Amino acid sequence: MTAGETHQAIEATFRIERARLIGGLARMVRDIDRAEELAQDALVAALADWPKTGVPANPGAWLMAVAKRRAVDLLRRDTTLARKHYEIAWTADEAFDGEDRANAALDDDLGDELLGLIFAACHPMLSPDARAALTLRVVGGLTTEEIARAFLSSEPTIAQRIVRAKKAIARAGLTFAVPRGAERAERLPSVLEVIYLIFNEGYAATAGDDLVRPDLCFEGQRLGRILAVLLPHDAEVLGLLALMEIQASRLAARTRPDGSFVPLTEQNRTRWDRLLIRRGLDALARAEALGGADGPYVLQAALAACHARARRAEDTNWPCIAALYDRLRVVTPSPVIDLNRAIAHSMAFGPEAGLALIDAIPGEVLGNYAPYPAARGDFLFRASRFAEARIEFEAAASLTRNAREAAFLTARARACG
């Protein structure tokens, strides 16, 4: 392996293992900032050692062991934590004892380090926005810019939320473990929200050169599957899992070989992953059987299922989708849901119906949200109001931070003549 290939392997491994490393380290040192620093120290060690010794058989365990040994060195300087030395040192040494044992610890659904980190970040003492922002930063590895786009907020605001949330967790001395009973039930809705935000940032990247970031989608699915094993009788957990599985089934069809965007109605549906669709439909059926048909995630999964069941775009049951959005906006009203509802009604009942609904949404609420003018441009284009459509597509292209999406919207503006 060349030096360049080794460097690429290190970067790829760290992207995959970063959140798991922080979760395990935070459980030991009870400080997210310090856990992030220790994870970064492990990366530096890998950059120094692996080009000489080669990539280890279990790179994740190697990184964790190095980081934990560094944690032991730091804790030895603090006499008030001397009692913890033996316990932490034993854990660090164990990472080298056997790869199977290390992997088993990572896959334990009740002791999963990454899931424990999410539950800590979603503690009720934090505001909902702070919970989601912190988890996206430390678990998803997103930048503050990407999180700001996801929340339709400013970067300084998001940065302040993250800093304050970390300080609050440190002051409280939280344990980074999965809670049980009433405490788990109290935190679960925000955990579901955060997991879906992580998945959605991968499914429709808000910034950068790539439309999709499959690593984030896979992480969201992994967390959803863990939760479904942990809470098999919770309809909303199953609904979220169903939603992610069905949406992930389309990843291969969402882009062309050159990376450009393919709209849902133009996708080659033979490229959809039928196994993921079957898994999603099964989870949806279980959620509905539990009486959760009107839960927000179950309704969104039902919407995704309408597309999954249509073998051709023209077979899509748009009136059913519009009716589901009518129900969803009652359960969980939001401007974004109103926007998607307008899109569904435009497909079911014509572009003028979509324009009537989208124009009822206060413009200042979604003024900087690229999908808003993009949708309005589509309605106008289909209504043969091409000059107005061009203005909307150009506005949407100027708002998006994703290069591929901007290119798609610019092409649509040109098509208006």
Side-chain angles (χ1 to χ4, degrees), residues 241-253:
L241 178 61
L243 174 60
M244 292 190 296
E245 301 283 41
I246 294 172
Q247 287 185 319
S249 72
R250 308 176 198 147
L251 283 175

Side-chain angles (χ1 to χ4, degrees), residues 43 52-53 82 95 100 137 167 172 243 266 284 299 310 316 322 416:
L43 171 63
K52 303 173 187 175
T53 61
D100 292 339
R137 178 71 191 99
K167 289 180 177 178
L243 174 60
E266 299 176 17
L284 175 60
L299 282 171
T316 304
C416 294

Side-chain angles (χ1 to χ4, degrees), residues 290-312:
L290 289 168
D294 284 323
Y297 288 108
V298 178
L299 282 171
Q300 290 178 75
L303 286 164
C306 288
H307 294 291
R309 292 186 177 112
R311 293 285 182 162
R312 302 179 305 164

